[in-house]
């Protein structure tokens, strides 16, 4: 898989539709957060990008943190947040910022098929 290409597509689609670059991304049902991590890797310092991921699985969150440690510089890691919660009822204030707003929300790879209720 080419995560760079997929993330570039998502970022370009956001800019084309909204008219501005995404600076705050919400990755819903993120799993190992490969798209969010890739977005941070591709961003320049001037982009000031932050990514918040949400997934129900503590194992996926732990794996995502391992990937972030391996693949992101310290500054990029400080802009990477992971919330372990149900995507149907999550609260973004769980990452310590009750006023959190996002420019772009991503739900990828058939994640909705896991919703059973």
């Amino acid at each position: 898989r080419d995560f760079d290409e997929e993330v570039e597509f998502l970022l370009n689609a956001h800019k084309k539709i909204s008219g501005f670059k995404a600076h705050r991304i919400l990755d819903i049902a993120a799993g190992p957060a490969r798209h969010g991590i890739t977005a941070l890797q591709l961003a320049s310092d001037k982009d000031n990008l932050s990514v918040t991921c949400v997934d129900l699985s503590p194992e996926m969150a732990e794996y995502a943190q391992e990937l972030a440690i391996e693949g992101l510089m310290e500054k990029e890691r400080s802009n990477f947040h992971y919330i372990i919660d149900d995507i149907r009822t999550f609260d973004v204030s769980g990452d310590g910022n009750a006023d959190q707003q996002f420019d772009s929300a991503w739900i990828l790879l058939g994640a909705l098929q896991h919703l059973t209720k």
Side-chain angles (χ1 to χ4, degrees), residues 16-99:
K16 181 178 180 181
I17 293 167
S18 69
F20 63 91
K21 281 184 162 184
H23 296 284
R24 298 162 301 195
I25 296 170
L26 176 64
D27 191 353
I28 302 167
R34 291 189 189 276
H35 290 93
I37 290 169
T38 299
L40 287 165
Q41 290 169 332
L42 294 175
S44 69
D45 285 341
K46 66 181 179 179
D47 289 333
N48 196 29
L49 185 69
S50 69
V51 174
T52 298
C53 299
V54 181
D55 199 284
L56 186 58
S57 170
E59 294 81 12
M60 282 292 122
E62 183 178 336
Y63 183 42
Q65 294 296 345
E66 291 171 9
L67 293 174
I69 289 168
E70 291 172 13
L72 297 175
M73 303 294 284
E74 186 176 340
K75 182 181 185 299
E76 295 165 334
R77 282 196 308 271
S78 70
N79 291 329
F80 178 73
H81 312 281
Y82 208 107
I83 299 170
I84 301 169
D85 207 345
D86 190 318
I87 64 170
R88 295 169 294 184
T89 59
F90 72 94
D91 179 0
V92 294
S93 65
D95 76 351
N97 187 352
D99 296 327

